[in-house]
Amino acid sequence: MKHGVSPDTFPPRSHEAKRVSVVDAAASVFCREGYAGANIDLISAEAGVSRQTVYNHHGDKENLFVAVVRDLTERCNAGIFATIASFPDQPTDLEADLIAFAVRMNRNCICNRDGRFLRKLIQAEGERYPELFAEWREQGPGRTWSALAARFARLAFAGHLSIGDPDVAARQFLALVNAELQITFMLGGTPTEEEVLRSATNGVRTFLSAFARKKLPAGKQAALVHA
Amino acid sequence: MKHGVSPDTFPPRSHEAKRVSVVDAAASVFCREGYAGANIDLISAEAGVSRQTVYNHHGDKENLFVAVVRDLTERCNAGIFATIASFPDQPTDLEADLIAFAVRMNRNCICNRDGRFLRKLIQAEGERYPELFAEWREQGPGRTWSALAARFARLAFAGHLSIGDPDVAARQFLALVNAELQITFMLGGTPTEEEVLRSATNGVRTFLSAFARKKLPAGKQAALVHA
DNA sequence: ACAAATTTAGACAGCCTTGTCCAATTCGTC
DNA sequence: GACGAATTGGACAAGGCTGTCTAAATTTGT
């Protein structure tokens, strides 16, 4: 009874298959136990591989950790940009299209295994590896936000939205769409499909209430804060 | 050169003063190093106390950890409810009052030492202590949100806001007001006063754009999702 | 100033973990 | 089927950490 690992026997796998198997198991164990609490025996057991193989592939624990984070970062970024590519640039039903986009974003990038693991590792060990996570920060959130901001700017330009600062709008969009999932994330859980949909629906509706093109009641909200 | 500890000598302190000194140091070390990575020698050194004293007061490491979490939970909850008590029930300038409230909330509950530490411990070790964190969850976010929701409902009832579901509005308010601080939180940092103000300002403006009482352009947004 | 309680430093056993080494076995490939 | 590379399991030393114990020093209450 390890944890929730597959059966007790593993089919034979290639050299490269073992490498990814080790990295996957390591990601899981590092997340569950923390860097210091993760031990190589557990990782190798969970990967269905001998301890020596772990050392053969990755040298030492710190090296393995770095490999895990780079791997997760890469996969997460790929998922994020693939999803952003599906942004509704020419919406037919703006609300429905944005909700569907938000659900895709959540399911493919934020709630999935890689997203949850990467977030937890960053929060837990980010301060210990400044250069590693600075790298992530530039390639991940930095590009994500500006890519998303560009899409919202285009929607605004096309007359679908009324936006002051697209960067602010992009961050607020993500914050709103995840507003109801925070505690679940805190405890490392995975929200149900229904929770994701509800949070996205509520978030997008509020977002559109604020940013849908409309006559403003007073001269209010002329421009949002920039500096 | 330990970390950022006071001078190398400590003035004499009472029995009780040592207990809190130990808990404080333990909170800091648990956050920095994780539960498994935290060692009692480091905690006692940081508390300016001998290792044996730590054991005298708290028995063992796990006990100490629980004491730390309970302590942080208690202080955070106190801060949160004190701050919610200052909610602008009869606003003169709704936007300014809500911004000021959001800044207080951030500064006194979310960005301060206790808030950051508690969040990190929950994220890192929450799954390992289900009952402990279930307790926190009920007393903390559970009550926080419904208390805040009640305040927003009152504002809506008084005609200052147009809100569908006060619980959703309360969560979205917090999400919006923190939207720009997420990465800083991720890496365990403390946002500057200026960042807090900017995030609160942008968040409240968007919140009010969505929920300020106004004529709706179309028959849209009749009711927000509940279930 | 005295007695009790607390704190301290240090030593200590027991345990766990990392990382290395090695001989035997299995795997991929020709 | 045979060869070289990869994998395995097991043993191993070195080091770290927890938690206990002690005797001496210090603090606290009276």
Side-chain angles (χ1 to χ4, degrees):
Chain A
M1 289 305 139
K2 271 293 140 40
H3 251 96
V5 200
S6 21
D8 268 332
T9 81
F10 297 82
R13 289 155 304 163
S14 75
H15 184 69
E16 209 47 40
K18 295 203 181 196
R19 166 173 256 111
V20 319
S21 176
V22 168
V23 172
D24 282 356
S28 170
V29 174
F30 278 135
C31 280
R32 202 168 59 238
E33 315 285 345
Y35 179 82
N39 78 341
I40 307 285
D41 285 325
L42 189 52
I43 291 173
S44 52
E46 199 146 319
V49 142
S50 80
R51 176 176 58 232
Q52 188 57 48
T53 298
V54 175
Y55 283 106
N56 287 343
H57 279 270
H58 296 99
D60 66 4
K61 192 178 179 181
E62 183 160 331
N63 233 301
L64 175 57
F65 180 77
V66 172
V68 165
V69 173
R70 286 204 206 287
D71 186 67
L72 289 175
T73 300
E74 201 173 321
R75 284 215 299 265
C76 278
N77 279 343
I80 287 172
F81 285 101
T83 304
I84 287 185
S86 76
F87 186 88
D89 284 313
Q90 283 135 15
T92 56
D93 178 339
L94 185 56
E95 179 177 305
D97 291 349
L98 281 180
I99 289 173
F101 172 73
V103 168
R104 282 196 297 278
M105 198 75 174
N106 257 317
R107 188 169 35 216
N108 303 334
C109 311
I110 299 177
C111 299
N112 67 353
R113 199 195 98 113
D114 293 341
R116 283 179 296 124
F117 281 7
L118 183 56
R119 223 175 314 127
K120 187 157 180 186
L121 289 184
I122 287 165
Q123 287 159 350
E125 317 289 345
E127 290 167 285
R128 200 186 311 283
Y129 298 86
E131 59 319 316
L132 183 57
F133 290 101
E135 187 181 315
W136 158 81
R137 186 177 169 159
E138 287 164 18
Q139 296 182 357
R143 293 187 192 284
T144 299
W145 286 344
S146 66
L148 199 56
R151 298 310 187 106
F152 277 122
R154 187 184 292 190
L155 276 189
F157 185 74
H160 295 101
L161 295 176
S162 164
I163 286 178
D165 182 332
D167 290 295
V168 170
R171 285 194 286 265
Q172 290 182 338
F173 177 81
L174 292 176
L176 280 172
V177 148
N178 289 316
E180 326 231 333
L181 310 176
Q182 293 304 326
I183 319 107
T184 307
F185 287 152
M186 272 253 197
L187 297 184
T190 314
T192 67
E193 193 69 14
E194 192 210 341
E195 287 171 325
V196 169
L197 178 60
R198 187 165 70 239
S199 186
T201 302
N202 288 338
V204 167
R205 288 201 179 139
T206 296
F207 183 82
L208 288 181
S209 293
F211 291 118
R213 200 165 72 138
K214 57 179 179 265
K215 293 131 211 113
L216 305 179
K220 281 249 184 179
Q221 76 176 52
L224 297 178
V225 170
H226 281 86
Chain B
M1 289 307 139
K2 271 291 136 43
H3 249 95
V5 200
S6 20
D8 269 333
T9 81
F10 297 81
R13 288 156 304 164
S14 76
H15 185 69
E16 210 46 40
K18 294 202 183 195
R19 168 172 256 110
V20 317
S21 175
V22 168
V23 172
D24 283 355
S28 169
V29 174
F30 279 134
C31 280
R32 204 168 56 238
E33 316 285 346
Y35 179 81
N39 79 341
I40 307 287
D41 285 326
L42 189 53
I43 291 174
S44 51
E46 200 146 318
V49 143
S50 81
R51 176 177 58 233
Q52 188 58 47
T53 298
V54 175
Y55 283 105
N56 286 344
H57 278 271
H58 296 98
D60 65 3
K61 192 179 179 180
E62 184 160 328
N63 234 302
L64 174 57
F65 180 76
V66 172
V68 165
V69 174
R70 286 205 206 285
D71 186 68
L72 288 175
T73 301
E74 200 173 321
R75 284 215 299 264
C76 278
N77 278 343
I80 287 173
F81 284 101
T83 304
I84 287 186
S86 76
F87 187 89
D89 284 312
Q90 284 136 16
T92 56
D93 177 340
L94 185 56
E95 178 177 306
D97 290 349
L98 281 179
I99 290 173
F101 172 73
V103 168
R104 281 196 298 278
M105 199 75 175
N106 258 316
R107 188 171 33 216
N108 302 335
C109 311
I110 299 177
C111 299
N112 66 353
R113 197 195 100 115
D114 293 341
R116 284 180 294 124
F117 280 8
L118 183 56
R119 225 177 311 129
K120 186 157 181 186
L121 289 184
I122 286 165
Q123 287 160 350
E125 317 289 346
E127 289 167 286
R128 200 186 310 283
Y129 297 86
E131 59 319 317
L132 182 57
F133 289 102
E135 186 181 315
W136 158 82
R137 186 176 166 159
E138 288 164 17
Q139 296 182 358
R143 293 187 191 284
T144 299
W145 285 344
S146 65
L148 199 55
R151 298 310 186 108
F152 278 122
R154 186 184 293 190
L155 276 189
F157 185 74
H160 295 101
L161 295 177
S162 163
I163 286 178
D165 182 332
D167 289 294
V168 171
R171 284 195 287 266
Q172 291 183 337
F173 177 82
L174 292 176
L176 281 172
V177 149
N178 288 315
E180 327 231 334
L181 310 176
Q182 294 302 327
I183 319 105
T184 308
F185 287 153
M186 274 254 196
L187 297 183
T190 314
T192 66
E193 193 68 15
E194 192 210 340
E195 286 171 326
V196 169
L197 178 60
R198 187 166 69 238
S199 186
T201 302
N202 288 337
V204 167
R205 289 203 178 139
T206 296
F207 183 83
L208 287 181
S209 293
F211 292 117
R213 199 164 75 136
K214 55 179 180 264
K215 293 132 211 107
L216 306 179
K220 282 252 187 179
Q221 75 176 54
L224 296 178
V225 169
H226 280 88

